[in-house]
Amino acid sequence: MPADNKATKETVRLFHSLYKLQNKGIMYGHQDDLMYGSKWWYEKDRSDTKDFTGEYPAVAGFELGGIELGNERSLDSVSFVQIAEQVKAHYKRGGVITLSWHVNNPLTIQLPKPTSSRQYGTAWDVSSKEVVASILPGGKNNELFNAWLEHLANFFNTLKDDHGTPIPFIFRPFHEHSGSFFWWGTNICTDQQYASLWRYTVEYLRDKKNLHNILYAYNTDRITSLDQYLKGYPGDDIVDMLSFDMYDRGVQFGEELDNALKFITHEAAMKKKLTALSETGERRGMTDWWSTVLLPVVSKYPVGYVLTWRHAYRPKVSKTANQNQPFPDDFKNFYNSPRSLFLKEVQEAKIYKRK
Ligand code: BMA
């Protein structure tokens, strides 16, 4: 069951469908797949995954950084109105939606801008270790953070289908806590503060804003043990998915991934939670990464989905041979594997319908 005992029926069905599907195969997900590719920008019904395979990804990822400021566009210049349109379109098709949030830094964003810092005021601004403490109740930025959550909740409230029914989605806030490159990272706040931040955010959205269409994904960056994975874990009562991010940075990746999947999928089975490798990416220079590295390892475990990150829009960069197509040829081998699930298989599973 979803952690939220008031979860809408579509959300409950999504949870159960995903729980079942993770034993059947691994869904493919792609960040901003429906918004742009490296040479195109927001064209109706276009998708890099569909361009290359003929099919949409099973999971569509979208990014919300900037919504908290009331901006019209995300930090990646994507219009939030258009994100809402594509969330609706993908739901209508019967696909899965996941939302990430590179939320700005509520403390440092108030300081005068230093000329030298590229990270100033962003999620990546780790110049202060007081940020999380400052936004929790009693902290000087609590009101400000509430206003930011209000913007987030207002956006969530626009995610409804044609009948006005809230669209269920997976929300993965404060991601990659095991790293220290975001203001909520492991050396930037305490694990206790991190857990409180999570709890505060969920309670705000769920109890104050009455949003009951959200499945919450706990997330870390690379980790080598279950203990390390669970540092800062906010609790089974508010988490629906155990996820982690791991990019291939070298030959040891296969083993690291295997190890992490072993303890995370085992823990998820004990807790009856969903699982995902919520961000990954191929090793530079490899041409057969999808079929020889990723697929064999993820096939050993009940992993709900694997998502690769955005194809950043770079219209001016000249086209080299491998930029003429959005994926390497080997991606077809991943696509053709009976283990991988793209939109059609997920549509057949009717994940939002009563069984
Ligand atoms: C990062 C990079 C950034 C982007 C951010 C949020 O990993 O892709 O360029 O702004 O994700 O999508």
Side-chain angles (χ1 to χ4, degrees):
M1 288 297 278
D4 179 359
N5 57 25
K6 289 192 188 151
T8 65
K9 59 179 191 294
E10 293 77 15
T11 311
V12 173
R13 289 174 195 156
L14 174 63
F15 181 93
H16 290 309
S17 302
L18 293 182
Y19 200 79
K20 252 201 212 158
L21 274 178
Q22 65 192 19
N23 287 305
K24 187 173 163 210
I26 183 148
M27 295 188 288
Y28 174 65
H30 187 209
Q31 185 73 356
D32 276 351
D33 189 80
L34 306 172
M35 309 313 294
Y36 55 84
S38 64
K39 302 281 177 251
W40 60 273
W41 188 264
Y42 203 58
E43 294 174 24
K44 194 175 178 311
D45 301 332
R46 190 157 178 193
S47 138
D48 270 357
T49 307
K50 186 164 74 116
D51 278 2
F52 196 65
T53 66
E55 248 192 271
Y56 284 107
V59 180
F62 302 92
E63 163 61 32
L64 302 180
I67 195 82
E68 66 280 3
L69 302 178
N71 292 349
E72 273 173 37
R73 287 169 181 268
S74 75
L75 77 168
D76 300 320
S77 307
V78 181
S79 147
F80 289 117
V81 171
Q82 290 174 344
I83 290 180
E85 279 173 18
Q86 290 309 310
V87 165
K88 280 175 216 175
H90 202 63
Y91 176 69
K92 209 170 186 173
R93 289 181 196 119
V96 178
I97 292 128
T98 181
L99 306 180
S100 54
W101 189 29
H102 287 73
V103 53
N104 282 286
N105 185 318
L107 188 151
T108 61
I109 203 171
Q110 299 177 62
L111 303 172
K113 184 169 183 159
T115 45
S116 58
S117 170
R118 271 208 315 142
Q119 280 82 29
Y120 158 81
T122 69
W124 290 268
D125 188 337
V126 291
S127 59
S128 164
K129 297 192 174 184
E130 306 303 317
V131 187
V132 177
S134 84
I135 59 181
L136 291 171
K140 66 174 193 252
N141 294 317
N142 182 243
E143 282 301 303
L144 175 81
F145 193 63
N146 288 346
W148 283 16
L149 289 174
E150 203 65 26
H151 281 298
L152 180 70
N154 288 342
F155 175 75
F156 286 168
N157 266 314
T158 67
L159 305 179
K160 302 216 166 102
D161 71 5
D162 295 341
H163 312 287
T165 306
I167 296 173
F169 59 87
I170 299 161
F171 184 40
R172 186 170 61 95
F174 314 119
H175 62 303
E176 302 179 357
H177 172 60
S178 66
S180 291
F181 30 79
F182 295 127
W183 56 259
W184 55 86
T186 188
N187 294 328
I188 322 297
C189 64
T190 67
D191 294 331
Q192 183 53 49
Q193 286 167 341
Y194 179 77
S196 303
L197 171 66
W198 241 91
R199 187 160 285 279
Y200 185 79
T201 302
V202 173
E203 285 170 359
Y204 197 97
L205 297 171
R206 185 193 62 192
D207 305 337
K208 274 214 177 83
K209 305 312 294 180
N210 262 308
L211 289 159
H212 299 291
N213 52 326
I214 307 177
L215 296 177
Y216 290 92
Y218 174 72
N219 180 260
T220 67
D221 190 46
R222 56 186 63 245
I223 30 47
T224 52
S225 70
L226 183 62
D227 268 5
Q228 189 193 4
Y229 180 70
L230 293 176
K231 272 177 191 285
Y233 184 68
D236 292 345
D237 61 324
I238 56 169
V239 167
D240 296 296
M241 175 180 276
L242 302 187
S243 72
F244 68 109
D245 297 354
M246 207 185 261
Y247 287 83
D248 190 334
R249 302 274 188 245
V251 282
Q252 72 289 359
F253 174 77
E255 222 169 282
E256 278 176 8
L257 179 66
D258 195 311
N259 177 46
L261 283 173
K262 194 177 292 165
F263 59 72
I264 290 173
T265 56
H266 180 259
E267 186 69 8
M270 310 282 289
K271 295 180 183 305
K272 294 209 158 38
K273 303 293 184 194
L274 305 171
T275 56
L277 174 56
S278 41
E279 285 185 39
T280 189
E282 63 201 52
R283 192 181 317 163
R284 223 170 263 166
M286 270 195 92
T287 54
D288 54 359
W289 182 82
W290 289 88
S291 61
T292 67
V293 179
L294 183 68
L295 192 58
V297 181
V298 294
S299 298
K300 291 169 66 178
Y301 301 100
V303 194
Y305 70 83
V306 54
L307 180 143
T308 51
W309 206 241
R310 70 202 198 97
H311 294 164
Y313 180 61
R314 292 201 180 98
K316 291 217 184 81
V317 179
S318 69
K319 279 190 182 171
T320 61
N322 59 6
Q323 276 176 322
N324 288 326
Q325 56 183 49
F327 294 93
D329 291 334
D330 188 45
F331 186 72
K332 289 255 170 70
N333 295 324
F334 175 81
Y335 171 72
N336 287 325
S337 161
R339 281 293 299 177
S340 67
L341 309 174
F342 282 66
L343 184 70
K344 266 181 227 147
E345 284 126 321
V346 173
Q347 282 175 329
E348 280 159 19
K350 296 190 178 22
I351 56 178
Y352 301 103
K353 296 264 155 62
R354 192 179 325 123
K355 302 278 153 57

mmCIF file of all heavy atoms in Angstrom, residues 31-32 36 62-65 74-76 100-102 124 175-176 182 247 279 309-310 312 314, ligand 1:
data_model
loop_
_atom_site.group_PDB
_atom_site.id
_atom_site.type_symbol
_atom_site.label_atom_id
_atom_site.label_comp_id
_atom_site.label_asym_id
_atom_site.label_seq_id
_atom_site.Cartn_x
_atom_site.Cartn_y
_atom_site.Cartn_z
ATOM 1 N N GLN A 31 14.488 11.365 -18.586
ATOM 2 C CA GLN A 31 14.221 12.705 -18.083
ATOM 3 C C GLN A 31 13.971 13.675 -19.233
ATOM 4 O O GLN A 31 14.746 13.710 -20.204
ATOM 5 C CB GLN A 31 15.413 13.174 -17.235
ATOM 6 C CG GLN A 31 15.223 14.507 -16.560
ATOM 7 C CD GLN A 31 14.261 14.447 -15.381
ATOM 8 O OE1 GLN A 31 13.663 13.410 -15.089
ATOM 9 N NE2 GLN A 31 14.107 15.555 -14.683
ATOM 10 N N ASP A 32 12.911 14.454 -19.119
ATOM 11 C CA ASP A 32 12.548 15.489 -20.104
ATOM 12 C C ASP A 32 12.368 14.943 -21.525
ATOM 13 O O ASP A 32 12.453 15.699 -22.506
ATOM 14 C CB ASP A 32 13.597 16.630 -20.110
ATOM 15 C CG ASP A 32 13.303 17.659 -19.013
ATOM 16 O OD1 ASP A 32 12.223 17.578 -18.397
ATOM 17 O OD2 ASP A 32 14.145 18.528 -18.767
ATOM 18 N N TYR A 36 12.153 18.030 -24.909
ATOM 19 C CA TYR A 36 13.166 18.426 -25.893
ATOM 20 C C TYR A 36 14.174 17.311 -26.099
ATOM 21 O O TYR A 36 14.243 16.352 -25.317
ATOM 22 C CB TYR A 36 13.918 19.694 -25.436
ATOM 23 C CG TYR A 36 14.540 19.561 -24.055
ATOM 24 C CD1 TYR A 36 15.783 18.961 -23.893
ATOM 25 C CD2 TYR A 36 13.872 20.007 -22.919
ATOM 26 C CE1 TYR A 36 16.340 18.812 -22.631
ATOM 27 C CE2 TYR A 36 14.419 19.866 -21.653
ATOM 28 C CZ TYR A 36 15.655 19.259 -21.505
ATOM 29 O OH TYR A 36 16.198 19.093 -20.266
ATOM 30 N N PHE A 62 10.314 14.611 -15.212
ATOM 31 C CA PHE A 62 10.246 16.069 -15.382
ATOM 32 C C PHE A 62 10.922 16.719 -14.182
ATOM 33 O O PHE A 62 10.937 16.147 -13.091
ATOM 34 C CB PHE A 62 8.784 16.545 -15.432
ATOM 35 C CG PHE A 62 7.979 15.916 -16.534
ATOM 36 C CD1 PHE A 62 7.255 14.754 -16.298
ATOM 37 C CD2 PHE A 62 7.954 16.473 -17.804
ATOM 38 C CE1 PHE A 62 6.510 14.162 -17.307
ATOM 39 C CE2 PHE A 62 7.209 15.891 -18.826
ATOM 40 C CZ PHE A 62 6.478 14.735 -18.576
ATOM 41 N N GLU A 63 11.419 17.939 -14.383
ATOM 42 C CA GLU A 63 12.185 18.631 -13.343
ATOM 43 C C GLU A 63 11.492 19.946 -12.937
ATOM 44 O O GLU A 63 11.080 20.713 -13.796
ATOM 45 C CB GLU A 63 13.604 18.889 -13.879
ATOM 46 C CG GLU A 63 14.414 19.926 -13.143
ATOM 47 C CD GLU A 63 14.665 19.590 -11.684
ATOM 48 O OE1 GLU A 63 14.786 18.395 -11.336
ATOM 49 O OE2 GLU A 63 14.719 20.541 -10.877
ATOM 50 N N LEU A 64 11.416 20.148 -11.621
ATOM 51 C CA LEU A 64 10.645 21.290 -11.111
ATOM 52 C C LEU A 64 11.470 22.448 -10.542
ATOM 53 O O LEU A 64 10.898 23.412 -10.035
ATOM 54 C CB LEU A 64 9.678 20.802 -10.027
ATOM 55 C CG LEU A 64 8.680 19.727 -10.465
ATOM 56 C CD1 LEU A 64 7.782 19.345 -9.302
ATOM 57 C CD2 LEU A 64 7.846 20.208 -11.644
ATOM 58 N N GLY A 65 12.797 22.356 -10.595
ATOM 59 C CA GLY A 65 13.617 23.437 -10.015
ATOM 60 C C GLY A 65 13.199 24.803 -10.533
ATOM 61 O O GLY A 65 13.168 25.020 -11.743
ATOM 62 N N SER A 74 11.478 26.266 -15.720
ATOM 63 C CA SER A 74 12.372 25.555 -14.809
ATOM 64 C C SER A 74 13.809 26.019 -15.006
ATOM 65 O O SER A 74 14.102 26.770 -15.943
ATOM 66 C CB SER A 74 12.315 24.060 -15.100
ATOM 67 O OG SER A 74 13.031 23.784 -16.294
ATOM 68 N N LEU A 75 14.677 25.540 -14.164
ATOM 69 C CA LEU A 75 16.107 25.887 -14.306
ATOM 70 C C LEU A 75 16.673 25.404 -15.628
ATOM 71 O O LEU A 75 17.711 25.888 -16.071
ATOM 72 C CB LEU A 75 16.932 25.351 -13.127
ATOM 73 C CG LEU A 75 17.282 23.871 -13.088
ATOM 74 C CD1 LEU A 75 18.332 23.588 -12.025
ATOM 75 C CD2 LEU A 75 16.081 23.027 -12.843
ATOM 76 N N ASP A 76 15.979 24.473 -16.276
ATOM 77 C CA ASP A 76 16.404 24.015 -17.602
ATOM 78 C C ASP A 76 15.588 24.695 -18.702
ATOM 79 O O ASP A 76 15.527 24.206 -19.842
ATOM 80 C CB ASP A 76 16.273 22.497 -17.704
ATOM 81 C CG ASP A 76 17.124 21.780 -16.665
ATOM 82 O OD1 ASP A 76 18.259 22.231 -16.421
ATOM 83 O OD2 ASP A 76 16.648 20.781 -16.089
ATOM 84 N N SER A 100 11.355 15.378 -10.318
ATOM 85 C CA SER A 100 12.509 15.698 -9.473
ATOM 86 C C SER A 100 12.486 17.198 -9.187
ATOM 87 O O SER A 100 11.776 17.957 -9.852
ATOM 88 C CB SER A 100 13.800 15.314 -10.193
ATOM 89 O OG SER A 100 13.849 15.921 -11.480
ATOM 90 N N TRP A 101 13.269 17.621 -8.201
ATOM 91 C CA TRP A 101 13.193 19.018 -7.769
ATOM 92 C C TRP A 101 14.554 19.506 -7.288
ATOM 93 O O TRP A 101 14.927 19.257 -6.139
ATOM 94 C CB TRP A 101 12.146 19.130 -6.643
ATOM 95 C CG TRP A 101 11.776 20.519 -6.223
ATOM 96 C CD1 TRP A 101 11.790 21.648 -6.977
ATOM 97 C CD2 TRP A 101 11.316 20.907 -4.912
ATOM 98 N NE1 TRP A 101 11.355 22.723 -6.226
ATOM 99 C CE2 TRP A 101 11.057 22.292 -4.952
ATOM 100 C CE3 TRP A 101 11.076 20.228 -3.717
ATOM 101 C CZ2 TRP A 101 10.597 23.009 -3.854
ATOM 102 C CZ3 TRP A 101 10.618 20.922 -2.605
ATOM 103 C CH2 TRP A 101 10.367 22.306 -2.687
ATOM 104 N N HIS A 102 15.288 20.180 -8.178
ATOM 105 C CA HIS A 102 16.551 20.807 -7.781
ATOM 106 C C HIS A 102 16.199 22.171 -7.175
ATOM 107 O O HIS A 102 16.418 23.213 -7.801
ATOM 108 C CB HIS A 102 17.473 20.976 -8.988
ATOM 109 C CG HIS A 102 18.074 19.691 -9.484
ATOM 110 N ND1 HIS A 102 17.354 18.738 -10.158
ATOM 111 C CD2 HIS A 102 19.340 19.194 -9.382
ATOM 112 C CE1 HIS A 102 18.160 17.714 -10.476
ATOM 113 N NE2 HIS A 102 19.354 17.974 -10.007
ATOM 114 N N TRP A 124 22.848 23.580 -5.790
ATOM 115 C CA TRP A 124 24.256 23.172 -5.681
ATOM 116 C C TRP A 124 25.059 24.091 -4.757
ATOM 117 O O TRP A 124 26.255 23.902 -4.594
ATOM 118 C CB TRP A 124 24.898 23.179 -7.075
ATOM 119 C CG TRP A 124 24.409 22.108 -7.983
ATOM 120 C CD1 TRP A 124 24.954 20.863 -8.150
ATOM 121 C CD2 TRP A 124 23.285 22.169 -8.882
ATOM 122 N NE1 TRP A 124 24.223 20.157 -9.076
ATOM 123 C CE2 TRP A 124 23.209 20.930 -9.546
ATOM 124 C CE3 TRP A 124 22.328 23.155 -9.166
ATOM 125 C CZ2 TRP A 124 22.212 20.633 -10.498
ATOM 126 C CZ3 TRP A 124 21.332 22.872 -10.106
ATOM 127 C CH2 TRP A 124 21.282 21.625 -10.760
ATOM 128 N N HIS A 175 17.018 14.739 -3.472
ATOM 129 C CA HIS A 175 17.677 13.521 -3.953
ATOM 130 C C HIS A 175 19.183 13.528 -3.675
ATOM 131 O O HIS A 175 19.804 14.559 -3.462
ATOM 132 C CB HIS A 175 17.382 13.331 -5.440
ATOM 133 C CG HIS A 175 17.892 14.435 -6.314
ATOM 134 N ND1 HIS A 175 17.551 15.756 -6.146
ATOM 135 C CD2 HIS A 175 18.736 14.401 -7.366
ATOM 136 C CE1 HIS A 175 18.148 16.479 -7.067
ATOM 137 N NE2 HIS A 175 18.888 15.684 -7.820
ATOM 138 N N GLU A 176 19.727 12.322 -3.696
ATOM 139 C CA GLU A 176 21.173 12.094 -3.582
ATOM 140 C C GLU A 176 21.750 12.615 -2.271
ATOM 141 O O GLU A 176 22.823 13.222 -2.247
ATOM 142 C CB GLU A 176 21.891 12.678 -4.821
ATOM 143 C CG GLU A 176 21.365 12.063 -6.115
ATOM 144 C CD GLU A 176 22.010 12.603 -7.392
ATOM 145 O OE1 GLU A 176 22.841 13.520 -7.314
ATOM 146 O OE2 GLU A 176 21.652 12.098 -8.482
ATOM 147 N N PHE A 182 24.540 18.939 -2.873
ATOM 148 C CA PHE A 182 23.321 19.750 -2.754
ATOM 149 C C PHE A 182 23.230 20.245 -1.310
ATOM 150 O O PHE A 182 23.797 19.632 -0.413
ATOM 151 C CB PHE A 182 22.074 18.910 -3.084
ATOM 152 C CG PHE A 182 22.022 18.431 -4.513
ATOM 153 C CD1 PHE A 182 21.833 17.096 -4.796
ATOM 154 C CD2 PHE A 182 22.145 19.326 -5.564
ATOM 155 C CE1 PHE A 182 21.777 16.643 -6.114
ATOM 156 C CE2 PHE A 182 22.088 18.890 -6.896
ATOM 157 C CZ PHE A 182 21.903 17.548 -7.161
ATOM 158 N N TYR A 247 25.740 6.675 -11.688
ATOM 159 C CA TYR A 247 26.228 6.819 -13.065
ATOM 160 C C TYR A 247 27.476 5.962 -13.221
ATOM 161 O O TYR A 247 28.223 5.771 -12.269
ATOM 162 C CB TYR A 247 26.551 8.295 -13.346
ATOM 163 C CG TYR A 247 25.323 9.159 -13.501
ATOM 164 C CD1 TYR A 247 24.667 9.675 -12.383
ATOM 165 C CD2 TYR A 247 24.813 9.459 -14.754
ATOM 166 C CE1 TYR A 247 23.529 10.473 -12.525
ATOM 167 C CE2 TYR A 247 23.687 10.257 -14.908
ATOM 168 C CZ TYR A 247 23.048 10.759 -13.787
ATOM 169 O OH TYR A 247 21.935 11.546 -13.926
ATOM 170 N N GLU A 279 18.387 7.378 -11.563
ATOM 171 C CA GLU A 279 19.242 8.091 -12.518
ATOM 172 C C GLU A 279 20.454 7.219 -12.783
ATOM 173 O O GLU A 279 21.097 6.734 -11.850
ATOM 174 C CB GLU A 279 19.768 9.420 -11.945
ATOM 175 C CG GLU A 279 18.779 10.543 -11.889
ATOM 176 C CD GLU A 279 19.418 11.859 -11.413
ATOM 177 O OE1 GLU A 279 20.559 12.163 -11.790
ATOM 178 O OE2 GLU A 279 18.749 12.567 -10.652
ATOM 179 N N TRP A 309 19.243 10.400 -17.838
ATOM 180 C CA TRP A 309 19.000 11.838 -17.674
ATOM 181 C C TRP A 309 18.784 12.542 -19.012
ATOM 182 O O TRP A 309 18.886 11.936 -20.082
ATOM 183 C CB TRP A 309 20.146 12.451 -16.855
ATOM 184 C CG TRP A 309 19.736 13.691 -16.117
ATOM 185 C CD1 TRP A 309 20.257 14.944 -16.273
ATOM 186 C CD2 TRP A 309 18.709 13.789 -15.111
ATOM 187 N NE1 TRP A 309 19.595 15.815 -15.421
ATOM 188 C CE2 TRP A 309 18.662 15.135 -14.711
ATOM 189 C CE3 TRP A 309 17.828 12.885 -14.518
ATOM 190 C CZ2 TRP A 309 17.756 15.606 -13.742
ATOM 191 C CZ3 TRP A 309 16.928 13.346 -13.561
ATOM 192 C CH2 TRP A 309 16.904 14.694 -13.194
ATOM 193 N N ARG A 310 18.470 13.778 -18.930
ATOM 194 C CA ARG A 310 18.040 14.583 -20.067
ATOM 195 C C ARG A 310 19.081 14.658 -21.189
ATOM 196 O O ARG A 310 20.289 14.619 -20.943
ATOM 197 C CB ARG A 310 17.719 15.995 -19.566
ATOM 198 C CG ARG A 310 18.928 16.793 -19.145
ATOM 199 C CD ARG A 310 18.566 17.924 -18.189
ATOM 200 N NE ARG A 310 19.638 18.936 -18.128
ATOM 201 C CZ ARG A 310 19.620 20.051 -18.839
ATOM 202 N NH1 ARG A 310 18.622 20.325 -19.639
ATOM 203 N NH2 ARG A 310 20.601 20.922 -18.741
ATOM 204 N N ALA A 312 20.358 17.338 -23.053
ATOM 205 C CA ALA A 312 20.319 18.798 -22.998
ATOM 206 C C ALA A 312 20.243 19.410 -24.400
ATOM 207 O O ALA A 312 20.906 18.942 -25.327
ATOM 208 C CB ALA A 312 21.543 19.319 -22.262
ATOM 209 N N ARG A 314 21.134 21.547 -27.232
ATOM 210 C CA ARG A 314 22.351 22.262 -27.649
ATOM 211 C C ARG A 314 22.336 22.461 -29.152
ATOM 212 O O ARG A 314 23.138 21.887 -29.879
ATOM 213 C CB ARG A 314 23.601 21.466 -27.252
ATOM 214 C CG ARG A 314 23.803 21.402 -25.744
ATOM 215 C CD ARG A 314 25.240 21.080 -25.358
ATOM 216 N NE ARG A 314 25.351 21.042 -23.908
ATOM 217 C CZ ARG A 314 25.322 19.917 -23.200
ATOM 218 N NH1 ARG A 314 25.225 18.747 -23.789
ATOM 219 N NH2 ARG A 314 25.395 19.966 -21.878
HETATM 220 C C1 BMA B 1 21.731 18.153 -13.802
HETATM 221 C C2 BMA B 1 22.203 18.669 -15.141
HETATM 222 C C3 BMA B 1 21.838 20.125 -15.161
HETATM 223 C C4 BMA B 1 20.345 20.298 -14.915
HETATM 224 C C5 BMA B 1 19.888 19.554 -13.663
HETATM 225 C C6 BMA B 1 18.396 19.584 -13.446
HETATM 226 O O1 BMA B 1 22.193 16.888 -13.515
HETATM 227 O O2 BMA B 1 21.585 17.995 -16.196
HETATM 228 O O3 BMA B 1 22.184 20.664 -16.403
HETATM 229 O O4 BMA B 1 20.020 21.653 -14.781
HETATM 230 O O5 BMA B 1 20.331 18.232 -13.727
HETATM 231 O O6 BMA B 1 17.700 18.963 -14.483
#
